[in-house]
């Protein structure tokens, strides 16, 4: 469960995960929040659907690994929900198969260890108009709609309830913001810094409320090498030092 004493958190998914360290992304925010508390490992694959995820699940998360993750955050669904292409090629996965694939992913992750926790992210909404304008001309027509995103999101949420898994309902969480369609995306599909803030808030809420032992919320976790030291910064009195291990003044957002 530990890498050099720290718990391991793995982010696994498609481009929403791969890009999560770009443009003020949610993965980068988690890495900052969990600095000196947990290692954040990125396993994101642009364009992937749940079928491709299943093809590599044993390689990304081998059951015989001496170190198993304490937390896995999973996102697939946006590409699965793309309309089927007439050629039979492309990322579309029928809804029932998507549900079955996500169930198999969850079962595999839960089998890694008794202490491996799992959070699924459901399919977020999208800005259809902006997305149409930003889609590359090197690609065949890609049909994505907010309605299919809703269907795949609801399927993910329902599966998580059935399997007693934690889930972030991104489709509804983002639309609580009035200007979500313009503020939450870089291109109508991928998350902007504002969209990523919502993801971070929802993940931290789950981690704070979950009755997991040990608790994986950042405020409840020990800080690596956080003990006082005579080599720390000297206080204004000149008689002692000040331990800066848990300072968070550098963050524009003081996360709860």
């Amino acid at each position: 469960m530990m890498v050099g004493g720290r718990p391991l958190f793995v982010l696994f998914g498609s481009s929403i995960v791969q890009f999560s360290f770009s443009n003020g992304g949610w993965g980068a925010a988690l890495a900052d929040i969990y600095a000196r508390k947990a290692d954040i490992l990125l396993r994101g694959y642009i364009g992937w659907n749940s079928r491709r995820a299943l093809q590599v699940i044993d390689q990304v998360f081998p059951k015989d690994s001496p170190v198993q993750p304490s937390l896995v955050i999973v996102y697939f669904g946006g590409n699965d929900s793309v309309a089927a292409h007439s050629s039979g090629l492309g990322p579309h996965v029928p809804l029932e198969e998507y549900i079955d694939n996500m169930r198999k992913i969850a079962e595999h992750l839960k089998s890694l260890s008794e202490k491996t926790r799992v959070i699924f992210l459901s399919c977020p909404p999208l800005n259809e108009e902006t997305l149409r304008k930003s889609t590359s001309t090197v690609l065949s027509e890609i049909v994505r709609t907010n309605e299919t995103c809703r269907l795949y999101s609801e399927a993910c949420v329902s599966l998580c309830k059935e399997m007693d898994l934690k889930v972030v309902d991104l489709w509804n969480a983002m639309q609580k913001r009035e200007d979500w369609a313009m503020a939450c995306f870089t291109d109508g599909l991928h998350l902007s810094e504002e969209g990523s803030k919502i993801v971070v808030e929802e993940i931290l809420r789950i981690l704070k409320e979950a009755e997991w032992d040990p608790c994986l919320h950042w405020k409840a976790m020990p800080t690596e090498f956080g003990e006082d030291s005579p080599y720390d910064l000297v206080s204004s009195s000149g008689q002692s030092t000040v331990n800066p291990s848990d300072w968070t003044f550098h963050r524009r957002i003081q996360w709860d």
Side-chain angles (χ1 to χ4, degrees):
M1 304 295 288
M2 302 284 189
V3 179
R6 295 189 190 186
L8 176 65
F9 293 2
V10 183
L11 315 182
F12 180 49
S14 55
S15 56
I16 295 293
V17 173
Q18 182 174 327
F19 297 168
S20 68
F21 275 70
S22 300
N23 304 314
W26 60 275
L30 288 178
D32 176 54
I33 293 167
Y34 280 88
R36 296 179 64 172
K37 294 179 180 288
D39 286 330
I40 310 294
L41 186 64
L42 185 64
R43 290 293 181 266
Y45 306 92
I46 183 173
W48 279 34
N49 58 17
S50 60
R51 283 178 184 165
R52 295 198 71 180
L54 272 181
Q55 289 176 341
V56 303
I57 192 78
D58 290 301
Q59 296 168 258
V60 178
F61 300 99
K63 290 186 178 183
D64 61 354
S65 174
V67 176
Q68 294 295 356
S70 295
L71 175 67
V72 185
I73 301 176
V74 181
Y75 170 73
F76 291 100
N79 296 314
D80 298 69
S81 70
V82 170
H85 193 270
S86 58
S87 66
L89 301 172
H92 172 72
V93 174
L95 186 59
E96 290 304 315
E97 182 189 341
Y98 166 72
I99 295 169
D100 189 52
N101 290 345
M102 296 299 280
R103 178 181 286 107
K104 291 175 181 175
I105 290 171
E107 289 172 344
H108 180 90
L109 295 175
K110 290 174 69 175
S111 74
L112 296 178
S113 81
E114 292 182 356
K115 293 294 187 180
T116 296
R117 312 302 184 183
V118 181
I119 299 175
F120 274 14
L121 309 180
S122 81
C123 196
L126 53 82
N127 183 325
E128 295 181 25
E129 182 179 357
T130 301
L131 183 59
R132 281 193 294 270
K133 294 177 181 177
S134 64
T135 300
S136 173
T137 55
V138 305
L139 299 173
S140 180
E141 183 183 13
I142 300 174
V143 179
R144 299 179 186 265
T145 69
N146 217 8
E147 175 61 15
T148 54
C149 287
R150 179 185 67 81
L151 294 174
Y152 280 70
S153 176
E154 289 179 352
C156 180
V157 172
S158 295
L159 175 65
C160 289
K161 290 180 179 178
E162 173 193 324
M163 299 187 69
D164 194 26
L165 291 173
K166 302 298 183 183
V167 61
V168 174
D169 181 352
L170 283 182
W171 198 84
N172 282 299
M174 288 196 170
Q175 292 184 83
K176 291 177 182 178
R177 179 168 172 159
E178 288 188 10
D179 63 346
W180 67 270
M182 298 305 298
C184 290
F185 309 102
T186 59
D187 56 4
L189 172 66
H190 298 105
L191 302 180
S192 66
E193 184 171 1
E194 291 301 308
S196 281
K197 286 179 184 177
I198 296 172
V199 180
V200 175
E201 289 169 354
E202 292 297 314
I203 289 173
L204 291 180
R205 178 185 58 79
I206 286 175
L207 293 174
K208 187 175 184 179
E209 295 176 357
E211 296 180 356
W212 289 339
D213 182 20
C215 178
L216 298 179
H217 186 260
W218 68 280
K219 289 184 177 179
M221 297 174 67
T223 299
E224 186 178 50
F225 304 126
E227 63 275 5
D228 293 341
S229 169
Y231 306 120
D232 283 337
L233 302 170
V234 179
S235 69
S236 59
S237 71
Q239 302 301 310
S240 61
T241 57
V242 177
N243 188 335
S245 299
D246 291 318
W247 287 359
T248 61
F249 70 89
H250 67 285
R251 295 176 186 158
R252 287 180 298 169
I253 300 174
Q254 293 298 309
W255 302 102
D256 187 20

